[in-house]
Amino acid sequence: MTTPHTAPAGGTTPTRALVVSSAALFTDMLVHGLAVPVLPLLPSVVEVGPEATGILFSSYAAAMIIATLFAGRIVDRYGPRTPLLIGLVGLAAATLLFATGGPYWLLLVARLAQGIAGGMSWVAALSLIAATTPMEKRGQSMGIALSTITLGVLIGPPLAGFLVEHFGTASPFLFAAAVALADGVLRIVLVKDSPRVTDDTAGPLAVLKVPGSFSIVLAVAVGAAVLSGIEPVLPVHLGASSLTIGLLFGLAALASIIANPIVGRLVSTASPRLLVGAGVVAVTAALVVTGFATELWQTCIGMILLGASSALLLAPATTLISEQGYKSTPPTLGGSFALYNLAYAAGLAGGPLLTGISTGQWGFTSAMVITAAMLAVIGGAALARLPQAARQAE
C-alpha cells in the first residue's frame, strides 16, 4: 500500500503533480488574461453596455465558485484526475466559443464554461499536490503552483493585444485553444493514476472557523477585486487599441511580479497589518488616479499602483492563510489554500460587477471613486482582526 505522497511505479510523482498543477493554473489565468483587452471591445459586448460587460466578466468567477463546491466532492470520490479532464474540456470549449466574437449570450456561455473549467482545475490541481507531496514540502509546492497564476495574468493581456493587432480578434482565443491542448497532453500523460488525499481531510470551512481567517479572506478578496474591477470598463473608457490596453494590464501585472518578492521578504519582519494597510491605501490611490487620469502616463501610474497594491494584500495573506491551516482542527494545508481560492474568486466576481454597474449609472470616474471607497472600507475591516504572523507572535 502506498502513502499519499509515494507514487506507485508509473504513477504520479510529486514532481509530475507540481508540473501538471502549475500548467493547469497558468493556462486558466492565461486564457483569463487573453480575454481582458479583447472582450470589452467586441461589438456585441459594446452594444450591451458597461453593466452587462461587468456581468460578463464576473460570471467567470461566479461559475468558478459554484464549480469549486462540486469539484471537491468529485475529487473526494474519484480523485483529482477526473476534474482535471473535465476542466480541460470546459476550457477548450470556452476558447473556441470566444473565437466566434458573439453574440453576447454566446460569450456569456463561454465565460461560464471557462469558470467551471477553472473551478475544476484549481481544486484538482491543489488536491493532486496534496495527495502526492509530503506535508513538510506541501506548502512550498502549492506556493509555486499558485505563483503561475500571476505569470498567466502577466503574459495574457499584452500577448492578446499583439495577436489582435496582427491577426484579428479571434487569434488570442485560437492561440489559447492550442495552449489548452498542450496543457491537456500534460494532464493525460503525466497523471496516470488518481491519488487520494488521506492526511489532509479538512476543508476551507475548518480554516474559516479559526479566529482571524475571515479578515484574511477580506484582504484576499480586495486584492483580487482591485485589478479585475477595471478589466471590463477601462478599455472602453480609454478607447485605445487592444495592444495598448494589453500593455497597460501587463504593466500592472509586472509591477505585482516585482513587488511580490519584496513584500514576501518583508512578511518575515514587518507586521502583516502594516503591509495590508499599505495595500489598502495603494488600492484607494490607484483607483482614484485611474479614475481622474486624463493622460496615458497618468493611467500608467494608476496601473502600477494597482499591481503593487495586489502584492501588498496577497503576499501577506498567502503566508497567513497557510498558518491558519495549521491552527485548524484537524490541521490542513489543502483546506487553507482552498479557502484562499474561494476568496480570490469572490473578489474576481465582485470587482467587475461593482465597476460595471457603477460605470453604467454614474460614469467611469465616479465608478472608480465608489469602488475605491468600498474596497477601502472592506480592507479596513480586514485590518481589525488580522492575525500576526506566527514568527512575530512567538
Side-chain angles (χ1 to χ4, degrees), residues 116-263:
I116 293 172
M120 291 288 175
S121 296
W122 283 40
V123 171
L126 295 180
S127 297
L128 185 64
I129 291 174
T132 58
T133 309
M135 180 69 82
E136 63 270 16
K137 297 181 179 179
R138 198 170 296 167
Q140 180 183 12
S141 294
M142 288 184 173
I144 292 172
L146 288 174
S147 69
T148 61
I149 292 174
T150 306
L151 183 62
V153 172
L154 171 66
I155 295 175
L159 177 59
F162 172 82
L163 290 173
V164 168
E165 288 287 315
H166 291 83
F167 305 105
T169 56
S171 59
F173 304 114
L174 295 176
F175 174 81
V179 174
L181 178 62
D183 178 31
V185 171
L186 290 178
R187 299 188 195 194
I188 294 170
V189 172
L190 296 184
V191 185
K192 295 293 187 180
D193 53 355
S194 205
R196 312 291 180 87
V197 180
T198 60
D199 65 342
D200 193 359
T201 56
L205 185 59
V207 183
L208 187 60
K209 292 179 180 178
V210 178
S213 290
F214 186 68
S215 292
I216 301 173
V217 166
L218 292 179
V220 172
V222 171
V226 63
L227 192 56
S228 67
I230 64 171
E231 289 175 353
V233 294
L234 184 64
V236 176
H237 169 72
L238 291 179
S241 67
S242 295
L243 180 58
T244 300
I245 298 299
L247 291 174
L248 283 172
F249 280 96
L251 181 63
L254 180 60
S256 179
I257 289 281
I258 294 173
N260 260 305
I262 299 173
V263 177

Side-chain angles (χ1 to χ4, degrees), residues 92-113:
T95 55
L96 294 177
L97 289 176
F98 280 135
T100 65
Y104 174 84
W105 68 266
L106 192 60
L107 296 176
L108 185 60
V109 170
R111 199 69 169 166
L112 292 170

Side-chain angles (χ1 to χ4, degrees), residues 216 263-264 267 272 275-276 310-321 386:
I216 301 173
V263 177
V267 168
L275 296 176
V276 172
S310 180
L312 285 165
L313 290 164
L314 297 181
T318 304
T319 299
L320 291 175
I321 201 71
L386 193 71

Side-chain angles (χ1 to χ4, degrees), residues 7-32:
T12 306
T13 64
T15 300
R16 287 185 177 187
L18 180 58
V19 170
V20 170
S21 300
S22 299
L25 296 177
F26 168 77
T27 301
D28 183 68
M29 293 313 293
L30 175 68
V31 177
H32 182 277

